[in-house]
């Protein structure tokens, strides 16, 4: 699902790569190349045999968190996302998946502190999971499922620019919700990649962020963003904000 054609300065569109466990991933991109974005379908019930295989990829803490989920769909989505993330990191780091350290910053964004680990980000909504990776740059990704009767204007007035809100209002009413969802995904992806939070995104000293819309099935919107490191070894502070769409 692409964004409405009425909005100006549209980013390029990135096609994610469908991925299932067991297959080797493509090479990691570098420099200002677009991030590697993998698409997983996580809404189906996980078979018992597959579940045991996936659980073996998780850390003890993640297995304990997996056991706390009450809804089977949410439990399956968490398991698939985390196990796949670890499997991919294990491939690139040549390390057993369950032993890879994954930390969360103060705002909850995960990272791997192991030398040589790629930057990554993940997002899920409905039945879709997106995993984004890059070897030399901070990355952000967001996917959102369309919601009937979403009261988007209140959220847009708080988080989007007046020009963006005006453009959304200028769309035919039937397209406004879809247009807002695309704009929201771009904002979330930029915030995750920039490491500066919403204030940094809007300020004069905002980091240069490359932005892509991500092509996802009808009923969803998604975006990915990239912030290139300015010097070898530079660490990028992770920042984010609670999503009113969560």
């Amino acid at each position: 699902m692409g964004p409405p054609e009425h909005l100006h300065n549209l980013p390029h569109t990135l096609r994610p790569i469908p991925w299932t466990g067991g297959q080797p991933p493509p090479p990691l991109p570098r420099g200002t190349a677009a991030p590697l974005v993998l698409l997983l379908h996580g809404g189906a019930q996980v078979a018992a045999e597959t579940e045991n295989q996936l659980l073996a990829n998780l850390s003890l803490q993640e297995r304990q968190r997996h056991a706390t989920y009450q809804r089977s769909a949410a439990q399956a989505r968490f398991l698939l996302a985390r196990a796949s993330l670890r499997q991919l990191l294990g491939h690139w780091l040549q390390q057993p998946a369950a032993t890879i350290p994954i930390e969360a910053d103060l705002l909850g964004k995960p990272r791997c502190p192991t030398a040589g680990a790629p930057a990554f980000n993940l997002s899920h909504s409905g039945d879709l999971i997106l995993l984004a990776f890059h070897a030399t740059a901070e990355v952000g990704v967001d996917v959102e499922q369309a919601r009937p009767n979403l009261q988007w204007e209140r959220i847009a007035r708080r988080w989007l620019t007046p020009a963006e809100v005006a453009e959304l209002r200028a769309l035919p009413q039937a397209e406004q919700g879809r247009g807002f969802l695309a704009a929201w995904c771009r904002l979330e992806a930029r915030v995750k990649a920039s490491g500066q939070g919403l204030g940094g995104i809007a300020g004069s000293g905002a980091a240069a962020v490359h932005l892509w819309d991500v092509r996802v099935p009808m009923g969803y919107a998604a975006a990915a963003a990239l912030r290139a490191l300015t010097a070898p070894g530079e660490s990028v502070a992770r920042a984010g904000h609670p999503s009113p769409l969560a």
Side-chain angles (χ1 to χ4, degrees):
M1 178 181 69
E5 296 179 353
H6 306 71
L7 299 180
H8 63 67
N9 295 327
L10 291 179
H12 295 295
T13 300
L14 181 64
R15 187 181 295 275
I17 299 174
W19 190 81
T20 56
Q23 63 189 82
L28 286 166
R30 295 177 176 273
T32 58
L36 170 63
V37 180
L38 303 179
L39 172 66
L40 295 79
H41 290 270
Q45 183 73 29
V46 177
E49 181 179 354
T50 303
E51 182 178 23
N52 290 334
Q53 294 172 350
L54 294 175
L55 283 170
N57 285 341
L58 300 190
S59 67
L60 174 60
Q61 185 179 41
E62 286 170 330
R63 290 197 295 271
Q64 291 172 338
R65 181 177 171 187
H66 170 264
T68 65
Y69 281 91
Q70 299 299 315
R71 293 188 299 116
S72 58
Q75 187 181 56
R77 188 170 54 233
F78 171 83
L79 176 59
L80 181 60
R82 283 295 181 141
S84 299
L85 171 63
R86 285 183 167 278
Q87 183 178 342
L88 290 158
L89 292 175
H91 171 85
W92 288 310
L93 295 172
Q94 294 298 291
Q95 183 176 337
T99 67
I100 294 172
I102 295 179
E103 302 174 345
D105 65 17
L106 293 177
L107 293 168
K109 185 176 181 182
R111 58 183 295 273
C112 176
T114 303
F120 65 88
N121 196 224
L122 66 164
S123 180
H124 56 77
S125 184
D127 292 341
L128 298 187
I129 300 168
L130 290 182
L131 302 174
F133 301 89
H134 201 277
T136 59
E138 188 63 67
V139 65
V141 69
D142 189 58
V143 60
E144 300 288 349
Q145 185 177 28
R147 304 169 195 199
N149 304 316
L150 175 65
Q151 302 301 308
W152 64 267
E153 286 198 61
R154 176 181 56 83
I155 303 171
R157 286 196 302 269
R158 180 174 181 184
W159 297 109
L160 302 183
T161 67
E164 288 173 320
V165 175
E167 288 180 356
L168 290 171
R169 285 174 173 160
L171 294 174
Q173 187 170 6
E175 298 180 20
Q176 290 177 358
R178 182 164 64 96
F180 167 74
L181 210 62
W184 180 261
C185 288
R186 296 173 197 144
L187 176 63
E188 284 275 13
R190 289 175 63 203
V191 167
K192 291 178 179 181
S194 73
Q196 295 178 300
L198 286 174
I201 285 288
S204 59
V209 175
H210 306 283
L211 189 63
W212 294 264
D213 282 326
V214 177
R215 189 177 297 277
V216 286
M218 184 67 67
Y220 293 84
L226 185 76
R227 179 192 177 189
L229 301 181
T230 59
E234 177 192 1
S235 62
V236 179
R238 273 78 171 178
H241 61 91
S243 170
L245 296 184

